[in-house]
């Protein structure tokens, strides 16, 4: 895979921004970037799906290709991470010899034409379960990591009679060839196609969660695909327009600075400023800072259970930037007579970090709504 960062054009950056929510190549398709007038969740979902489907590679039949466990999973960060207290903290059932009792599945799900349409999937479940159809949870990894990194979480959920699923985001893990390639995920819709066809999964009890990049993907997956019945994005929700308007975009830009430097050069600017940031969103991710931003897409998840988890001092997902989407979500849930289905948990003194508390709260949320 060729490194997409190039000084010749802004267009290669598209591959990175699809990592936010599968939008593909630029072009607004008539979307207005002023304050949108939304007439309901179905309308905004339909607009999102239209944009998504017109920006994909040619479709192929959804097929499963068996594979083997990744022997040397690629981490796109140095030094390679070796341990996460939060990952190891997820509640487990008291089962002797748990690892020996786990069934592991490794396969590729073909979601579209092209190299990146080959989606690596890892599934863990308990052998010899007495439940014919079990609830399922998808956990999505953060930037620079892979599906193998979240294995402790998969094992914990599997011990509690879930089918637990992880994937490699695009340009991560088995879909990355070096440490500088970038990211894209639209595969969660196709993953839902597959999961709802399995005989051991209850198609009405599929949850989705994830950390950081994975939390962002979980947010958009739950927004666009109602088959995800429960959502718990962890440090992944933010207000893109709010950050521009309130000059709070620096931490997000610094985390992916090469992308914005490329945009700055392309626009002939001396420094990255809010105009550069806005142009990047407008040109490469149409709708990200307007019609599909969190104040509009988060309320569209109602009435399905939604838990938002954030650090009080998170510079990439500033708390002030999610106040409006949270307020609007609460109104949408109240209107749907499901106020108990939405909750925001803010952990004091925490920045952009997934903590053991967040893992436990997300786990409890899944149990509450998927184990009924």
């Amino acid at each position: 895979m060729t490194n997409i960062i190039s000084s010749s054009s802004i267009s290669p950056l598209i591959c990175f921004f699809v990592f936010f929510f599968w939008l593909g190549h630029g072009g607004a398709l008539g979307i207005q970037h002023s304050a949108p007038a939304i007439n309901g969740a179905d309308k905004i979902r339909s607009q999102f799906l239209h944009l998504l489907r017109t920006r994909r590679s040619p479709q192929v039949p959804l097929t499963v290709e068996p594979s083997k466990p990744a022997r040397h999973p690629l981490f796109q960060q140095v030094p390679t991470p070796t341990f996460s207290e939060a990952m190891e903290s997820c509640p487990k059932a008291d089962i002797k010899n748990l690892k020996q009792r786990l069934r592991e599945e490794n396969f590729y799900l073909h979601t579209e034409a092209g190299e990146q349409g080959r989606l690596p999937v890892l599934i863990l479940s308990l052998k010899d379960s007495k439940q014919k159809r079990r609830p399922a949870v998808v956990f999505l990894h953060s930037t620079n990591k892979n599906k193998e990194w979240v294995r402790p979480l998969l094992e914990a959920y599997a011990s509690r009679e879930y089918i637990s699923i992880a994937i490699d985001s695009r340009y991560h893990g088995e879909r990355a060839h070096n440490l500088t390639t970038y990211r894209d995920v639209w595969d969660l819709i196709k993953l839902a196609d597959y999961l709802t066809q399995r005989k051991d999964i209850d198609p009405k009890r599929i949850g989705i969660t994830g950390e950081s990049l994975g939390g962002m993907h979980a947010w958009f997956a739950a927004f666009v695909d109602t088959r995800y019945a429960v959502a718990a994005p962890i440090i992944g929700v933010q207000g893109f327009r709010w950050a521009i308007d309130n000059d709070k975009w620096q931490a997000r830009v610094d985390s992916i600075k090469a992308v914005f430097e490329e945009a700055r050069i392309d626009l002939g600017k001396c420094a990255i400023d809010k105009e550069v940031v806005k142009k990047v969103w407008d040109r490469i991710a149409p709708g990200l800072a307007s019609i599909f931003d969190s104040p509009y897409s988060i309320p569209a998840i109602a009435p399905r259970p939604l838990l938002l988890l954030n650090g009080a001092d998170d510079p990439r997902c500033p708390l002030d930037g999610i106040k409006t989407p949270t307020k609007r979500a609460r109104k949408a849930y109240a209107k749907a007579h499901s106020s108990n289905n939405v909750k925001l948990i803010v952990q004091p003194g925490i920045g952009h970090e997934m903590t053991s508390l967040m893992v436990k709260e997300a786990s409890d949320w899944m149990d509450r709504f998927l184990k009924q």
Side-chain angles (χ1 to χ4, degrees), residues 56-97:
R56 302 316 312 164
S57 299
Q59 299 300 295
V60 298
L62 189 66
T63 57
V64 176
E65 175 191 347
S67 67
K68 297 180 179 180
R71 297 181 61 183
H72 303 290
L74 177 65
F75 289 85
Q76 294 167 287
Q77 63 186 85
V78 179
T80 299
T82 58
F83 175 80
S84 166
E85 181 179 351
M87 286 287 172
E88 299 288 347
S89 68
C90 193
K92 291 183 180 180
D94 185 12
I95 297 177
K96 293 182 180 180
N97 302 318

Side-chain angles (χ1 to χ4, degrees), residues 58-65 107-113 117-121 170 175 186-198 225 227-228:
Q59 299 300 295
V60 298
L62 189 66
T63 57
V64 176
E65 175 191 347
F107 58 87
Y108 300 110
L109 198 63
H110 290 265
T111 64
E112 64 178 306
R118 194 168 177 251
L119 171 65
V121 181
R170 297 198 179 197
R175 306 167 94 182
W186 93 295
D187 304 293
L188 297 171
I189 291 176
K190 305 305 291 183
L191 180 64
D193 288 344
Y194 169 76
L195 296 178
T196 53
Q197 294 173 10
R198 285 179 62 115
D225 196 327
R227 291 174 296 182
Y228 290 108

Side-chain angles (χ1 to χ4, degrees), residues 332-351:
Y333 278 81
K335 186 176 180 180
H337 306 289
S338 56
S339 294
N340 291 333
N341 284 10
V342 63
K343 186 176 183 180
L344 168 66
I345 294 178
V346 178
Q347 189 169 354
I350 299 298

Side-chain angles (χ1 to χ4, degrees), residues 133-150:
R133 287 185 178 267
R134 284 172 271 180
V137 169
V138 178
F139 196 99
L140 305 171
H141 64 76
S142 58
T143 303
N144 295 328
K145 295 187 175 67
N146 49 54
K147 64 184 184 302
E148 285 73 27
W149 176 249
V150 304

Side-chain angles (χ1 to χ4, degrees), residues 211-223:
E211 173 193 9
S212 191
L213 165 65
M216 191 180 298
H217 287 152
W219 149 27
F220 280 104
F223 150 55

